[in-house]
Amino acid sequence: MAGCGGRACRVLQRNSLLVRPWQASRRDCASEAAVPAVAQGLLGAERKRFLPEHPLPFSSFLTDSFGRQHNYLRISLTEKCNLRCQYCMPEEGVKLTPRSELLTTQEILNLARLFVQEGVDKIRLTGGEPLIRPDVLDIIGQLRKLEGLQTIALTTNGINLARQLPKLKEAGLDVLNVSLDTLVPAKFEFIVRRKGFHKVMEGIHRAVELGYNPVKVNCVVMRGLNEDELLDFVALTEKQPLEVRFIEYMPFDGNKWNFKKMVSYQEMLDTIRQRWPELEKLPTELSSTSKAFRVPRFQGHIGFITSMSEHFCGSCNRLRITADGNLKVCLFGNSEVSLRDLLRSEATEKELVQIIGEAVGRKKKQHAGSVSWLPRPQQRIVQGFHCLKELYSAVTLKAGSYVHSLRALRSRGRGQMYFSQYCFNKKIPNSTVLPLRFVCSGQENFRPISKPACLTTQQSSTGIVLDNLSETHNPCSQGASEHLTHVDGAGKVLMVDVGKKSDTSRTAVAKAVVRVGPKVFRLVQSNQLKKGDVFAVAQIAGIQAAKLTSQLIPLCHNISLNQVNVSLKLDDARFTVEVTAECHTHGKTGVEMEALTAASVAALTIYDMCKAVTHDMVIEEVKLISKTGGQRGDFHSEPSSSH
């Protein structure tokens, strides 16, 4: 076969003891002549030593049209996972492929052997969670027998690692990556929706004890969730042989990706250099996905995987096989080739290699700049952006002009999920954003503004009615206002300009009550709910919500919070959980919305944690208790008499 470089023929001969289901052999390959005569006379260990010292041309079948040689193969062993990470999949999990359609152990080994004989020298086992596959030890042991395979790596969430690692190492596992996104146990439960933080840490420590150096720790950095732990992760590398790799938040199926959550490599690097200005860059291989750095005298080091801000497509050497046997030449590409179907149709080895080579040859230069770089579910988001862009270009910037088109857009399942990001990117005026949001979210009773006015809202059973026109106002006036401060003199929605206000100390306290009933109350009180510690998770959720208020409430300013406190108290007389949120800042605008958002989201989290027991719960008494600071003076609510 022209262009195979002879490598397949050599390795096929030396691996003849492995099971081969294919009909045809490649012993008659014309490139066999490329193998040095002395090498053909060597066997076993002597041959293994000889080949690296006398390399032959890399297989053309794994070399794409841009000259990239793909010597790194990632194999997914399962779609299943024992966690539900928020950036990875929805809480309910994903629809699993029937077991009969997944690759069998022998099919995995046969494909691995084929790729190794074509030039792959590193295989990484992934999932799902690969350690929940019962035969993972056997797979690693069989891969270890493949001559030419230099590195066997595994990526795991670490839940089952400590128990299995000694046998994994004995079977031949060379490199270990452990996913860990926080060093706070309560936040761990919030992110992965399961318990297990201490098991993951135990697995990392066990890996160090067994001599893995470095132990790679993968941390997906998400704004408003764990970017405040960057320095804590770096500190881990001071006395342990760890490589902490910070990964830019990426779009994946079901993670409701939002670009505002992404913390860029440069931003992370700047944060770390403020603490360790002597941070130095380390040399890396051309094909490495990680930019490596080390604090001098630290035992370990850190890395940044810049998939979003600075892609590394130009040096990509990776191929992927999914759990159901599809070959993906690009993680973000939609093009897949079913190697499983070819295996089960008894395709010859020659046919398999030919089809793999054609797929590699079609690989694009890079994934950026095209809708196709997103996984299929995320393509719908980008298509939604395009729909909004067409509307933006085709009609005027009057709120009412969008209503009919956006209702049609919503009826096709588009609108709300990508609304905020598009408006932010395209700088759509604030006067247009709020009315559009009503339509995108399904508020049917929207009536466009047609003349200069100030608005009040009245609630109907089917939506929000914008009505009741009144005189204009001065949003900077002192004291209580008779007008809405987020509407200008022309009746258009706006964000209040606080630039001329002076910085003052501001505090707000808000409250929410969740009426849970006696059964749930007892479970919360004794901390016996299956989802975990209700108080800890609700507190974390409330704090995170306060920090994200400006992303949730369209006209809120993005402010720097000095402190957020969320406390919860049980009331056994009413069988309720009382949430109190207190926010502090020193700035030009208040924190009432931050406190209310924190209390509301904490209450919603309590509901979510307890809904498996009963849905008969009520969230009530969400209100502002007090606020201090600012031009309009202090506020304290009247004591409630509802008890």
Side-chain angles (χ1 to χ4, degrees):
M1 187 186 306
C4 76
R7 181 168 187 145
C9 305
R10 312 192 298 270
V11 185
L12 183 62
Q13 289 175 343
R14 72 186 182 217
N15 289 325
S16 61
L17 295 179
L18 287 176
V19 176
R20 288 190 301 154
W22 296 291
Q23 301 292 313
S25 169
R26 301 180 65 196
R27 293 177 186 270
D28 59 347
C29 177
S31 299
E32 177 67 19
V35 182
V38 64
Q40 296 184 39
L42 298 177
L43 295 174
E46 292 179 339
R47 184 181 179 92
K48 188 174 182 179
R49 285 193 299 270
F50 178 88
L51 292 174
E53 298 170 2
H54 301 78
L56 290 173
F58 191 87
S59 168
S60 62
F61 292 99
L62 298 187
T63 304
D64 66 17
S65 58
F66 303 98
R68 293 173 294 199
Q69 298 179 343
H70 296 77
N71 65 330
Y72 181 1
L73 178 66
R74 300 169 67 98
I75 303 177
S76 173
L77 297 185
T78 178
E79 296 175 338
K80 294 180 180 179
C81 187
N82 45 5
L83 299 181
R84 293 291 180 269
C85 298
Q86 296 197 27
Y87 57 80
C88 185
M89 68 169 72
E91 184 174 5
E92 66 274 12
V94 295
K95 185 177 180 181
L96 297 175
T97 303
R99 185 175 180 180
S100 61
E101 297 179 19
L102 300 177
L103 290 176
T104 65
T105 303
Q106 194 58 58
E107 287 170 338
I108 290 172
L109 295 174
N110 286 332
L111 287 175
R113 179 178 64 81
L114 180 63
F115 277 90
V116 169
Q117 70 187 31
E118 289 299 323
V120 164
D121 56 23
K122 178 177 180 179
I123 291 179
R124 177 175 296 280
L125 303 177
T126 67
E129 170 49 43
L131 293 186
I132 64 176
R133 179 156 175 152
D135 57 354
V136 62
L137 285 172
D138 183 49
I139 291 174
I140 293 175
Q142 293 299 319
L143 290 177
R144 187 75 284 165
K145 298 177 182 178
L146 295 177
E147 292 190 40
L149 181 60
Q150 298 176 13
T151 305
I152 301 175
L154 181 138
T155 299
T156 173
N157 60 34
I159 296 294
N160 298 331
L161 182 60
R163 175 173 53 86
Q164 294 181 258
L165 190 54
K167 291 184 178 179
L168 291 169
K169 184 175 179 63
E170 183 180 349
L173 181 65
D174 300 304
V175 176
L176 185 64
N177 290 52
V178 183
S179 299
L180 180 65
D181 303 314
T182 178
L183 300 175
V184 180
K187 194 187 292 188
F188 177 89
E189 289 189 30
F190 175 74
I191 294 174
V192 308
R193 303 187 180 105
R194 298 289 188 273
K195 294 183 178 182
F197 173 79
H198 298 292
K199 290 183 179 179
V200 178
M201 294 304 295
E202 182 186 357
I204 293 173
H205 294 148
R206 187 73 171 126
V208 172
E209 291 172 1
L210 290 175
Y212 285 95
N213 187 356
V215 178
K216 297 183 179 182
V217 177
N218 294 342
C219 175
V220 177
V221 181
M222 296 160 279
R223 191 179 308 281
L225 195 60
N226 64 348
E227 87 277 17
D228 57 339
E229 296 186 61
L230 284 171
L231 302 184
D232 295 330
F233 272 102
V234 176
L236 287 180
T237 68
E238 181 176 6
K239 298 181 180 179
Q240 299 182 81
L242 304 180
E243 179 187 347
V244 177
R245 310 198 312 168
F246 298 113
I247 304 172
E248 291 179 338
Y249 183 61
M250 299 164 60
F252 281 100
D253 187 10
N255 73 353
K256 301 178 183 177
W257 186 76
N258 184 330
F259 81 110
K260 292 182 181 179
K261 293 182 181 179
M262 192 197 84
V263 183
S264 72
Y265 148 64
Q266 194 59 54
E267 182 179 344
M268 289 187 272
L269 189 60
D270 291 343
T271 299
I272 295 168
R273 275 191 164 142
Q274 288 178 15
R275 171 64 179 83
W276 290 285
E278 69 275 27
L279 187 71
E280 58 186 17
K281 197 173 192 310
L282 300 176
T284 56
E285 295 180 0
L286 178 63
S287 61
S288 176
T289 60
S290 180
K291 296 175 171 63
F293 292 80
R294 170 182 278 132
V295 178
R297 297 175 301 279
F298 276 26
Q299 188 174 348
H301 61 281
I302 63 173
F304 300 91
I305 298 180
T306 60
S307 306
M308 302 303 295
S309 64
E310 298 181 19
H311 68 74
F312 30 80
C313 301
S315 59
C316 180
N317 66 338
R318 290 153 175 76
L319 300 172
R320 292 166 175 83
I321 298 178
T322 62
D324 57 353
N326 284 351
L327 173 66
K328 290 176 69 71
V329 296
C330 176
L331 174 62
F332 293 107
N334 292 320
S335 178
E336 298 180 2
V337 176
S338 178
L339 302 182
R340 177 204 63 204
D341 291 348
L342 289 168
L343 285 173
R344 295 181 184 180
S345 65
E346 298 185 343
T348 65
E349 182 179 349
K350 180 178 179 180
E351 291 169 338
L352 271 165
V353 172
Q354 190 71 42
I355 290 172
I356 291 168
E358 291 172 357
V360 172
R362 290 191 297 268
K363 185 170 181 175
K364 296 183 178 0
K365 184 176 182 179
Q366 64 185 52
H367 61 61
S370 169
V371 173
S372 65
W373 73 270
L374 286 170
R376 282 187 294 269
Q378 278 65 41
Q379 278 196 67
R380 292 194 290 270
I381 297 177
V382 177
Q383 289 164 356
F385 290 158
H386 292 171
C387 292
L388 282 173
K389 181 177 180 180
E390 291 169 6
L391 286 172
Y392 183 78
S393 302
V395 300
T396 65
L397 288 177
K398 293 180 180 178
S401 303
Y402 287 97
V403 174
H404 176 75
S405 298
L406 277 178
R407 281 178 179 157
L409 187 66
R410 195 188 73 245
S411 71
R412 298 197 297 272
R414 299 170 178 172
Q416 180 68 20
M417 64 189 297
Y418 22 71
F419 178 83
S420 298
Q421 183 171 349
Y422 181 80
C423 290
F424 181 88
N425 283 345
K426 295 302 178 184
K427 298 182 174 60
I428 294 179
N430 288 316
S431 59
T432 307
V433 170
L434 184 58
L436 284 179
R437 187 178 294 281
F438 291 154
V439 179
C440 284
S441 59
Q443 303 294 351
E444 292 293 349
N445 284 11
F446 171 78
R447 292 206 290 272
I449 304 162
S450 57
K451 60 182 179 181
C454 188
L455 303 178
T456 60
T457 61
Q458 61 186 53
Q459 184 71 41
S460 73
S461 59
T462 56
I464 294 178
V465 179
L466 299 184
D467 209 345
N468 300 338
L469 308 182
S470 63
E471 62 183 9
T472 61
H473 69 286
N474 176 10
C476 295
S477 61
Q478 298 272 342
S481 174
E482 297 297 327
H483 312 283
L484 294 179
T485 58
H486 289 81
V487 182
D488 68 7
K492 295 182 179 180
V493 180
L494 82 161
M495 177 180 280
V496 175
D497 183 0
V498 298
K500 296 180 181 180
K501 292 185 177 182
S502 58
D503 289 349
T504 60
S505 180
R506 300 166 185 262
T507 300
V509 179
K511 170 188 167 186
V513 175
V514 187
R515 195 181 295 275
V516 298
K519 182 178 180 181
V520 171
F521 185 89
R522 287 192 294 270
L523 291 172
V524 173
Q525 190 175 43
S526 58
N527 193 18
Q528 292 183 354
L529 281 163
K530 291 183 179 180
K531 283 193 175 182
D533 188 334
V534 173
F535 275 31
V537 177
Q539 285 176 317
I540 291 290
I543 293 170
Q544 298 300 330
K547 294 159 67 176
L548 294 171
T549 299
S550 63
Q551 298 180 33
L552 300 171
I553 311 298
L555 303 182
C556 276
H557 294 83
N558 184 14
I559 63 176
S560 176
L561 290 169
N562 293 346
Q563 189 176 26
V564 180
N565 291 319
V566 177
S567 60
L568 294 92
K569 183 176 69 173
L570 293 169
D571 184 347
D572 53 9
R574 297 196 299 161
F575 298 116
T576 60
V577 183
E578 297 182 2
V579 181
T580 302
E582 183 175 358
C583 296
H584 302 272
T585 189
H586 189 84
K588 301 178 185 298
T589 187
V591 285
E592 300 99 298
M593 292 309 302
E594 282 74 13
L596 284 164
T597 302
S600 301
V601 172
L604 286 168
T605 302
I606 293 170
Y607 187 100
D608 178 63
M609 297 281 287
C610 302
K611 71 180 187 294
V613 179
T614 179
H615 288 87
D616 189 16
M617 293 177 284
V618 178
I619 298 176
E620 57 190 13
E621 300 179 35
V622 179
K623 63 179 183 179
L624 184 68
I625 301 300
S626 66
K627 81 167 210 57
T628 60
Q631 293 180 351
R632 301 189 188 280
D634 296 349
F635 165 81
H636 297 278
S637 69
E638 295 295 329
S640 174
S641 58
S642 61
H643 292 204

